[in-house]
Amino acid sequence: MPIRPMTEADLPSVLALQNTLGFQKWNEKQFISELRASYALCLVDEEAGTFAGYAIFHLMGSDSELLTIAVDPKFQRKGIASSLLHEGLDKLNRENGDHCFLEVRQGNNHARSLYEKHGFLAYSQRERYYDDGETAILYKW
Ligand SMILES: CC(C)(COP(=O)(O)OP(=O)(O)OC[C@H]1O[C@@H](n2cnc3c(N)ncnc32)[C@H](O)[C@@H]1OP(=O)(O)O)[C@@H](O)C(=O)NCCC(=O)NCCS
């Protein structure tokens, strides 16, 4: 699974995937500010030269966070999200970070299963956190 840093040239693919999946509504400026933030780790996975997925972490020691992760439906269930997670958590370990937080929609069972498989534990929840009233589950690794 070839994982590399995300660049501005990836943003059309990143935005197209985000819009196809419809799970998040970041605009281009938000992605650009992530690319420029010194603490952000922005990763892309390519399969045989084809953009397949991305993940963005904030690596800030004990306040590290997984902000977003997504895989093109054509490439899902092949371990790509797992590889992106490993890459981020490995870097966190190398930088002596000890925690990674994230929040996810209560009903997003695929993502929750991914996180639990990789050692994230649900520790709290926020009722009606999302615009449509869905609860957020908070996970910690
Ligand atoms: C969640 C998501 C990133 C998983 O990507 P992926 O590359 O398919 O995940 P992996 O192949 O690494 O799967 C790892 C584990 O996640 C879980 N999982 C992933 N897809 C699943 C599915 N369709 N059904 C059930 N479990 C699933 C399983 O536990 C899986 O392990 P297994 O294959 O050994 O059973 C992908 O489904 C996606 O992009 N979803 C839409 C965006 C999203 O919801 N992002 C998370 C919120 S920010």
Side-chain angles (χ1 to χ4, degrees):
M1 312 263 170
I3 293 176
R4 60 167 176 77
M6 186 189 291
T7 70
E8 286 194 25
D10 294 309
L11 293 186
S13 305
V14 168
L15 286 160
L17 177 56
Q18 175 195 243
N19 296 339
T20 299
L21 293 171
F23 72 109
Q24 191 182 40
K25 290 179 189 146
W26 286 17
N27 58 36
E28 187 173 15
K29 274 191 182 159
Q30 286 170 285
F31 282 106
I32 288 174
S33 80
E34 293 300 332
L35 286 171
R36 293 182 183 164
S38 57
Y39 49 80
L41 177 67
C42 305
L43 301 172
V44 157
D45 179 280
E46 272 183 347
E47 299 295 309
T50 302
F51 176 91
Y54 65 88
I56 299 180
F57 295 82
H58 283 178
L59 298 185
M60 298 186 294
S62 51
D63 282 331
S64 294
E65 192 179 352
L66 172 63
L67 278 85
T68 181
I69 186 164
V71 173
D72 187 312
K74 290 193 291 293
F75 295 101
Q76 286 182 7
R77 218 62 200 272
K78 296 176 189 296
I80 291 173
S82 298
S83 298
L84 288 163
L85 264 184
H86 275 302
E87 189 79 13
L89 296 174
D90 277 358
K91 183 135 198 268
L92 179 66
N93 261 330
R94 289 197 301 276
E95 294 182 0
N96 298 319
D98 45 9
H99 294 110
C100 184
F101 294 90
L102 63 81
E103 69 216 13
V104 60
R105 285 177 176 269
Q106 186 170 37
N108 191 345
N109 292 323
H110 299 169
R112 292 183 63 182
S113 167
L114 166 75
Y115 302 141
E116 287 169 17
K117 187 175 173 189
H118 292 281
F120 283 83
L121 296 175
Y123 69 95
S124 188
Q125 62 183 54
R126 289 195 187 127
E127 307 289 337
R128 294 180 295 284
Y129 180 75
Y130 295 99
D131 290 350
D132 59 4
E134 189 167 354
T135 294
I137 306 296
L138 309 187
Y139 278 87
K140 178 178 172 180
W141 174 87

